Amino acid sequence: MCPRSHLACLLLLLAPCLCRGSLPGMPLLRNYDKYTYHGGTQNWEMAQAAGGMLLVANNEGLLTFDGVSWDKYPLPNRSIVRSLKVAPGERIYVGGQDELGYFQPDASGLLHYHSLMHLLPQELLPIADVWDILLADDRVLFRTSRHLFGYRGDRMELLVTDRLEILGGGNGRVLLQSATQGLVEWTPEGVQAYPGGERFRDVLITDIRPGPQGALMLCTLREGLFLAADGQIRPWAPEAADQIRALRPQAACTLSGGQVAVATELGGLLLLDAAGRLMLNIDRGRGLQNNYITSLFEDWGGNLWMGLNNGLSMAEIAAPYRYVIPDGPLMGTAYAALQASGSLYLGTSNGLYLLPGGAASARLVPGTESQVWGLHRIGGQVLLAHHEGSFCVDDGIARPSSPATVQGVWLHLPLRSRPGYVIAGHYGGLALYRQSPAGLEFLRRLEGFSESCRFLVEDRDGQLWASHPYRGMFRIRLSDSLNRVSVQRYGPEQGLPSSLYNHVFFVQGEVIVAGERGLFRLNPASDRYEPHPDYAAIFSPEERIIRLTEDARGHIWFATDRHAGVIRIEDQGLQRHSEVRYYPRISGKLVNGFELICPVSDSLVIAGMDRGFFMFDPRQKPQAHAGPWQALISQVFCSGDSLLAGPWQRNGGLRVPHWLKDFRFRFGATDFSGGDGLRFRYRLAGLESGWSAWQAAAGKEYTNLPPGTYTFELQARNPDGLESEVAAFRFEIAPPWYASLGARIAYLLVLLLAAGGLILIPRRRFEKEKAEIVTLHQTQKAAQQQELARSQETIGHLMREKLESEIGHKTRELATATMHLVQKNEVLTHLREELEQVAARNPGHPGSAQLREIIRMLNHDQQFDADWEQFASHFDQVHEGFLRRIQERYPQLTPKDQRLCAYLRMNLATKEIAPLMNISVRGVEISRYRLRKKLGLDSEVNLNEFMMGF
């Protein structure tokens, strides 16, 4: 089938869709090749596990998809997985070549395979391929080309032996195609013919599934589709039967919305409505990887998965989004859209395309090849802003309105202040046109402004405002003769953040400038731009607004460098209520710098993409999932690449030793339509108190975690802003043995025992000592009495010793004083002798009488002082008879020697002894030497110490 016929099939229903108000176009499509899912080329069957994980029977094993990452589980014999079914209890039954069994997760959520081949009779082996698996009643049915087996209660039964082509059913019924009997029905009682089933003896049935209104749908390779219900078989979809048969259908799936999807060998996917009318054809020309579809599966989110002969594809059938590529294989960039007179005009980089009401296909408007910049409906006429100038478009015919001197028209602006006139902004300034019944009449280029003018509005006073993304803002005043303009430039000096990225719009009856940071309006009093107060709470100061468009109801559609959405404004009495709704699906698809958001009607908004147009109904919200959409903690790795837990774990609860303290989490989400728009946030309870920021990365690592109990919590958000429930994985890092609970209990027991010992042992000792004290109390009391008597006696003795000590002290003082008197007496004696000698030499001297008087006085004073004998007596009293004892022991000592001994006993220095003995220091040394010899002391003995110790 050629691309043009494909496009005709695609757009066959576009005109009725426009009339009904439903969305035209193609559903969003995602493709996965074998290099993405890391498996074989062919994919035979698909299912969804209890937690939402996608399962695929692939040539190289069982594939699983968590919305972000793919994993592969091969069979033991590495054969093709032809069939699979998910049973309650999370068993995943699979059939391959000479292999059948089931995968089941363990307590850690890791998937393990359990073969059932050992239950088959040996005489039936090998069994070749297991093509179909069906859950029926309390059995699991496995079909090969020759046998039908039933697995129940850990037993495998042979139910049917025949040439079997297909096994299918639903709604409590099981149908088989027998090469000898045609279509038959299996029940636990046996096989019986199905009414009318004999006609399928020579007709190959490729699929049997539940169909509309409780019937079973039969898909045949050459005869089309049939419905089996109430014991009758009748053809279905007769209007599309010829096309379906021509494309060789392989499978048919009734969707949750009532449509029927048909997989074909030659033409990709056919989508029929509930009445059997062809709605859509998705094939290789519209983005499918190839036209050979082997299997179909609708997931819980309403997405249709297609198992291809080479790869996988997913179409978001249930999503309120569509896209249209009017120029087909050219896939041009979208720049303009307009609905007029029941037709839809779509402008791309390849030209203007028209989709008239009731037409079978879109067609290129002749003469509009090349770049389209804008579409405007002014005064009932469709005006085209084109790279080659201005055009008037009427009934699919474009008539040029510009001379060759006006090239590259960006836009057309009707002048409210000058009805009938239109200003065109072009590459080199402004051009003036006049509307007439015949079309758009070019008048002149306006002098005074030569900047490229892509953004142009008119305010209520008739002034024009133009913006240039790199030059700033311009206020343009038309002359009365409409032949020239006067221009005033506005930039940072007039309050704008800068001269860059300024865009001007006319919304809500006023001129608004979107600057590099924020929205601004002009203050007429100061002629300066100020931040617009009405939008401060809606847009971040750091957010750059690129597009503002007001729809027919006064709502403002916007596009920024971060978001796209609408500000819904409702009048509530004297106040206006604003509500912001974001559309994340389109924010990343708009053409950078030429963002197009065209609100065609209340039920249709068109956005321009780099390839075609994105359409959505703003009234519809994304369809609720049939099953629980949830975030998945797919894998938990510990200390490197050691896999600790898998996606089928439930909240974790694992305990690991203390040396395993590095963790890596890989996660996904079962909203498969999210794709690259999925965002995740997480926190590790026990370490982090707050959530992380939303991020696209589907993994998180933690290193060097201390022992403790942790819960990793994960939440996902899809591109529509819907958030999943929180998934959790709890784990515990055990403390080292010396810090474990057992060790702590042991420490506590030891502490208690020690405390008990510290209490009981002293108590027992106290009791024992108490008994001993009681026993000895009387004896101790008597001893105390005796001791008291002895103490009194001792006190008396001490008092006597104290008195004796005091007496001795006084005696020593007396001896000291006596020695002083002896010294004094010697001095006086010496002085008297000297005076007598003086008086004798000078007898007749006048002073002789006075000298004799002094001598008399000295004699008188000497009588009051004691002599050496008196000193010796007192010295012996103080020093316990020292002189007496030394005289007795050493009788050879002279009085002078005794005197030296006394001074040495008093520990006097040589210099102190010399004056006392009336000799020189040298004389004292000689006397000490002679004394040592008389005492017979060795040279090692200290003379002073000897005297002190004698």
Side-chain angles (χ1 to χ4, degrees), residues 435-741:
Q435 278 189 297
S436 67
L440 200 63
E441 177 188 357
F442 173 75
L443 296 179
R444 66 185 68 87
R445 293 181 61 159
L446 298 178
E447 301 296 330
F449 186 72
S450 59
E451 297 285 354
S452 177
C453 188
R454 188 157 67 94
F455 298 92
L456 182 68
V457 299
E458 182 186 15
D459 64 17
R460 292 180 176 179
D461 298 329
Q463 301 176 113
L464 301 180
W465 293 88
S467 66
H468 192 289
Y470 309 109
R471 306 280 177 81
M473 283 291 303
F474 302 92
R475 177 159 58 186
I476 303 172
R477 291 187 173 93
L478 292 166
S479 65
D480 294 338
S481 58
L482 298 180
N483 61 353
R484 65 179 296 107
V485 296
S486 60
V487 180
Q488 180 181 355
R489 183 179 179 277
Y490 290 79
E493 300 81 5
Q494 289 76 34
L496 292 175
S498 73
S499 296
L500 301 176
Y501 305 114
N502 293 300
H503 302 80
V504 63
F505 308 100
F506 188 79
V507 293
Q508 296 290 310
E510 64 176 333
V511 176
I512 297 178
V513 176
E516 189 176 15
R517 294 181 301 276
L519 294 176
F520 298 85
R521 66 181 179 184
L522 187 68
N523 185 337
S526 62
D527 199 31
R528 290 180 57 83
Y529 279 97
E530 299 174 350
H532 202 298
D534 294 346
Y535 301 96
I538 298 175
F539 300 109
S540 166
E542 303 301 323
E543 199 168 8
R544 185 162 57 88
I545 295 91
I546 304 170
R547 175 70 62 182
L548 294 176
T549 302
E550 185 177 358
D551 64 16
R553 299 187 62 181
H555 304 320
I556 301 174
W557 291 83
F558 64 86
T560 75
D561 57 350
R562 301 180 185 178
H563 306 288
V566 62
I567 306 172
R568 298 184 178 274
I569 301 174
E570 304 289 345
D571 288 328
Q572 297 180 348
L574 299 177
Q575 296 182 342
R576 293 198 311 172
H577 175 69
S578 299
E579 178 186 358
V580 181
R581 181 178 177 184
Y582 295 101
Y583 291 90
R585 289 271 187 170
I586 65 174
S587 60
K589 296 180 172 63
L590 300 177
V591 181
N592 187 25
F594 295 87
E595 291 78 7
L596 169 66
I597 301 179
C598 179
V600 175
S601 66
D602 290 345
S603 60
L604 179 61
V605 176
I606 302 177
M609 302 187 300
D610 55 359
R611 282 191 270 181
F613 294 85
F614 185 88
M615 302 183 179
F616 64 97
D617 186 346
R619 302 171 305 173
Q620 297 183 20
K621 294 184 178 181
Q623 177 176 321
H625 286 233
W629 170 57
Q630 62 185 33
L632 288 179
I633 303 174
S634 302
Q635 290 179 334
V636 182
F637 295 91
C638 184
S639 293
D641 294 328
S642 176
L643 185 59
L644 186 65
W648 279 270
Q649 55 83 23
R650 293 294 177 262
N651 298 327
L654 300 180
R655 179 182 173 91
V656 299
H658 69 93
W659 59 82
L660 298 178
K661 52 188 176 181
D662 299 333
F663 286 80
R664 177 163 56 91
F665 297 90
R666 198 191 81 183
F667 34 84
T670 56
D671 186 344
F672 302 117
S673 61
D676 296 336
L678 285 173
R679 295 294 181 267
F680 302 93
R681 66 175 183 173
Y682 50 81
R683 65 180 175 186
L684 185 62
L687 180 69
E688 301 165 332
S689 57
W691 288 93
S692 69
W694 291 103
Q695 62 179 38
K700 175 61 179 175
E701 293 186 11
Y702 294 93
T703 59
N704 206 24
L705 291 176
T709 300
Y710 302 93
T711 301
F712 181 77
E713 297 176 327
L714 174 70
Q715 192 173 26
R717 186 176 68 186
N718 69 8
D720 297 310
L722 301 178
E723 297 178 3
S724 72
E725 294 183 355
V726 176
F729 177 81
R730 186 175 60 84
F731 64 98
E732 180 184 358
I733 302 176
W737 66 267
Y738 52 81
S740 64
L741 179 60

Side-chain angles (χ1 to χ4, degrees), residues 868 871-872 875-876 879-906 928 930-932 934-937 943-950:
W868 165 250
F871 169 79
F875 184 83
D876 272 346
H879 294 284
E880 301 176 352
F882 172 79
L883 293 175
R884 178 180 54 79
R885 287 185 284 108
I886 200 168
Q887 185 177 9
E888 292 176 354
R889 187 170 179 179
Y890 300 102
Q892 69 272 23
L893 296 180
T894 65
K896 186 177 180 180
D897 293 333
Q898 294 178 8
R899 194 173 179 183
L900 179 59
C901 290
Y903 293 152
L904 293 175
R905 173 69 180 224
M906 294 174 65
R928 287 171 59 97
R930 292 173 178 171
L931 179 61
R932 179 184 293 274
K934 291 180 179 181
L935 296 177
L937 299 179
L943 184 59
N944 287 60
E945 292 180 358
F946 176 79
M947 292 301 173
M948 294 292 292
F950 187 81

Side-chain angles (χ1 to χ4, degrees), residues 407-426:
Q407 288 290 315
V409 174
W410 295 109
L411 56 85
H412 295 96
L413 175 69
L415 295 177
R416 290 188 299 272
S417 60
R418 306 290 179 94
Y421 289 94
V422 175
I423 293 287
H426 59 88

Side-chain angles (χ1 to χ4, degrees), residues 92 184 500 843:
I92 305 168
V184 297
L500 301 176

Side-chain angles (χ1 to χ4, degrees), residues 206 293 312 322 331 391 523 540 603 624 649 709 720 768 909 911:
T206 55
I293 303 177
L312 275 166
R322 294 290 184 269
M331 294 186 179
F391 292 81
N523 185 337
S540 166
S603 60
Q649 55 83 23
T709 300
D720 297 310
K768 182 179 179 181
K911 292 182 179 181

